[in-house]
Amino acid sequence: MNDEDGNLVVVAEATAHPIHDGVVHTSQAHHDHYKVTIDKVLEDHGSVLLPVAPEENITKLGEAYGYFILRPRSMVIFEDEVST
């Protein structure tokens, strides 16, 4: 995500998965989304709102452990794309 100054902020570590049938939980996946599972929420970013909630009561990043969630491709950076 981006902070108020437009700088990229990494909020979580996740694993990307293929979307075989185009549906994640009950949400239709769009071509511009990845299906991911959250492995670790970084720092104090657990309250970040999910752009697509997997269930009605799962609306924040910190609540998404163990769920497949949809993330816009623009919000997913792969490890080999991160400059050190």
Side-chain angles (χ1 to χ4, degrees):
M1 74 179 242
N2 294 78
D3 65 12
E4 60 274 354
D5 296 323
N7 300 311
L8 180 66
V9 176
V10 177
V11 296
E13 294 175 2
T15 302
H17 302 274
I19 303 174
H20 295 293
D21 61 1
V23 177
V24 177
H25 293 284
T26 58
S27 299
Q28 180 65 40
H30 297 281
H31 70 280
D32 61 341
H33 283 77
Y34 285 114
K35 177 173 78 170
V36 301
T37 52
I38 303 300
D39 300 324
K40 178 181 178 182
V41 177
L42 302 177
E43 299 177 20
D44 295 326
H45 299 297
S47 62
V48 170
L49 293 175
L50 298 173
V52 180
E55 293 185 8
E56 189 174 305
N57 61 338
I58 308 296
T59 60
K60 297 178 184 168
L61 192 60
E63 301 167 340
Y65 288 108
Y67 288 87
F68 287 112
I69 63 170
L70 293 171
R71 295 293 286 172
R73 288 179 182 254
S74 63
M75 298 178 96
V76 176
I77 299 172
F78 290 95
E79 210 170 59
D80 62 345
E81 296 176 331
V82 177
S83 60
T84 55

